[in-house]
Amino acid sequence: MVQKNEGKREVLVFIINTYKNQSFDELIKFSSIESVTRDKGIVGDNPEIKQVLNDLLIYFSAKDLLLGKFDATRIKNSLAQLKQIKHQSQLLEKLKEDIEYYKDFNVAFKETMNIILSLDKQKSSGGDSEIQKIKFNEIVGILINYMYNYYDYDRYPYLSAIMLEIIKIKKLNADADISHLLKKLG
């Protein structure tokens, strides 16, 4: 029993020291929402690292917002929480920027998709393979314009997944309807 308690104490000290002795950026790189939640349960209300754990949970929750459809209310609340974190961190600053500009990237992507939908109404390949190639190249040109001005694959994974889906669908059939993907943007 004594060895078991000693083992628990050693694990607790190790966890506490890990969170105390690492930079916030290092903690972000080597943690996840699951590991932080687990560690929070182990250390309880330890005042030395409670705030660090809470800040990491805020960070990872905010990062998860970029994996889903833009939600103005959740983005606004998340950004306010991120601004409360006092740690010096390049990754935190980058995430604040990503969260702050998610709306702009989303709106620009909607506009890009509307341009493609408008092209679909104006032009049809009619099953002709040459016209199919020409139209697909036009669509790729529209997407490249968005990518040049806005696109960053790592920053907005939800938008990236939709863009890849558009390319996949249009490569097979440049006339294929993608309006259902526009609905995914909200």
Side-chain angles (χ1 to χ4, degrees), residues 113 117 120 170 176-185:
M113 287 185 69
L117 290 170
D120 283 345
K170 292 297 192 176
D177 183 24
I178 58 164
S179 59
H180 65 286
L181 296 176
L182 183 61
K183 293 174 186 170
K184 285 184 168 185
L185 295 177

Side-chain angles (χ1 to χ4, degrees), residues 52-91:
V52 173
L53 293 170
N54 286 336
D55 290 347
L56 285 167
L57 288 174
I58 290 168
Y59 177 91
F60 288 121
S61 294
K63 187 111 175 125
D64 281 350
L65 290 177
L66 301 176
L67 298 172
K69 183 163 72 170
F70 177 79
D71 180 328
T73 303
R74 290 180 67 204
I75 291 291
K76 181 181 175 186
N77 292 339
S78 181
L79 188 57
Q81 288 180 326
L82 288 171
K83 288 180 178 180
Q84 298 299 314
I85 296 175
K86 303 285 189 255
H87 304 283
Q88 295 296 318
S89 165
Q90 291 178 343
L91 294 173

